[in-house]
Amino acid sequence: MKLKLLLGTLMFGAITAHAQVAAINENFNSFTQGQGQTVFPQNQWTAIYPTAMGNPPPMMNVVANGAADNFIQAYSGGNQNTPQYLISPQIVAPVGDKTLTFKARRNTGSAPGSVQVGLASNPADMSTFVALANATTLTGDAFQTITVPVIASASQYIVFKFVGAFAPHTVLEIDDVVYANPSTLGVSDNAKSKEEIKFAANSENTALQFVTRKDPKNIQIYSAGGKKVAGGKLNGQKFDISMLQTGVYYILIETAEGTLTKSKFIKN
């Protein structure tokens, strides 16, 4: 009898185990729509809510923008300045060669709130959450694209941290989560960029000099620790780095075509 019970336990464990994923491309359209704290776990995604539930309580919803275009909605309920979390499936331990891109906004009529991306080693314990970049305050009701380099880490869960910092009943939304090598990412599609971009630091190490037929749409620079330290557009084929300290930096370039290219440089 004991042997049979042990065998049954082992079989159950094998059935419920999930393999680690090397990349994520999730638009949430295959998720079952619903509202409330029972919507997750779903498709290996989970959610964690604050201990102080407020009235009404916070919840993570799957809602539709049309018949078959789902997105995730984080509603703070009666809470303010209290985070809730959306956790990805377990990923292969990142080695620093991938980027996370997603779309986010506040719901029309909602107060602004913030979303921050990090990694966690335990999907049930957010004390293990380590931020990859500063929080982004969502003030508009149109989706904006947010891109964050994912540094090498032993932590294997991507976490979205939502905070309604200005008022209770904040409604924040995300969609189109892509975790992959930047060479495979595209704002509008996954086609490889045809625009060749070259750059190098000038002799004074005060600017990056670009060689390209068309100026990039946007440039973002991150420290080796994943913190965004600069961003903007070229000025006369140059990007100012005079304010940066000596060190290694990652640069994320959105080309004129709308594709993303990631590289790195050393500021001497």
Side-chain angles (χ1 to χ4, degrees):
M1 179 63 67
K2 291 182 179 179
L3 178 61
K4 289 183 180 179
L5 289 174
L6 176 61
L7 179 59
T9 302
L10 291 175
M11 289 178 65
F12 179 78
I15 292 171
T16 57
H18 296 294
Q20 301 170 14
V21 297
I24 295 173
N25 188 357
E26 185 58 74
N27 60 15
F28 304 107
N29 291 348
S30 64
F31 281 50
T32 300
Q33 296 174 20
Q35 296 183 335
Q37 294 189 359
T38 60
V39 171
F40 289 94
Q42 189 171 172
N43 293 356
Q44 301 183 49
W45 290 73
T46 57
I48 290 182
Y49 302 100
T51 303
M53 284 297 183
N55 185 23
M59 60 187 71
M60 204 77 68
N61 309 317
V62 178
V63 297
N65 182 24
D69 183 14
N70 294 347
F71 56 88
I72 302 301
Q73 185 181 80
Y75 170 58
S76 68
N79 292 302
Q80 183 178 346
N81 289 319
T82 307
Q84 56 182 316
Y85 303 88
L86 179 68
I87 301 102
S88 78
Q90 185 178 22
I91 61 174
V92 175
V95 296
D97 63 341
K98 292 183 173 63
T99 300
L100 179 72
T101 298
F102 63 99
K103 296 178 181 178
R105 68 182 180 188
R106 67 167 178 84
N107 184 269
T108 302
S110 170
S114 69
V115 59
Q116 186 174 36
V117 179
L119 295 172
S121 58
N122 184 341
D125 181 5
M126 289 301 99
S127 68
T128 67
F129 174 88
V130 176
L132 290 172
N134 293 335
T136 299
T137 300
L138 304 175
T139 58
D141 55 8
F143 275 118
Q144 66 180 90
T145 300
I146 299 172
T147 303
V148 179
V150 179
I151 62 175
S153 174
S155 297
Q156 295 181 272
Y157 295 90
I158 296 172
V159 178
F160 296 86
K161 177 182 177 181
F162 301 94
V163 179
F166 297 91
H169 309 291
T170 300
V171 183
L172 307 175
E173 298 166 344
I174 67 166
D175 199 3
D176 297 337
V177 175
V178 179
Y179 168 66
N181 188 287
S183 62
T184 67
L185 293 177
V187 174
S188 58
D189 53 51
N190 291 328
K192 186 177 180 180
S193 174
K194 300 176 183 177
E195 178 70 34
E196 184 179 13
I197 297 177
K198 297 180 180 180
F199 68 90
N202 63 7
S203 57
E204 296 85 10
N205 267 285
T206 58
L208 298 178
Q209 179 70 54
F210 280 73
V211 179
T212 177
R213 291 187 294 108
K214 298 179 181 179
D215 282 1
K217 289 183 178 180
N218 188 45
I219 291 174
Q220 300 178 64
I221 295 179
Y222 295 84
S223 69
K227 179 180 179 180
K228 184 178 177 180
V229 293
K233 299 181 182 296
L234 296 188
N235 182 8
Q237 295 281 288
K238 293 181 180 180
F239 189 86
D240 182 21
I241 58 170
S242 60
M243 78 298 291
L244 299 182
Q245 301 295 319
T246 299
V248 177
Y249 293 90
Y250 293 97
I251 182 170
L252 195 67
I253 305 168
E254 183 181 356
T255 70
E257 298 174 331
T259 56
L260 295 176
T261 300
K262 178 183 175 184
S263 186
K264 67 179 180 180
F265 66 92
I266 298 174
K267 169 71 184 296
N268 295 319

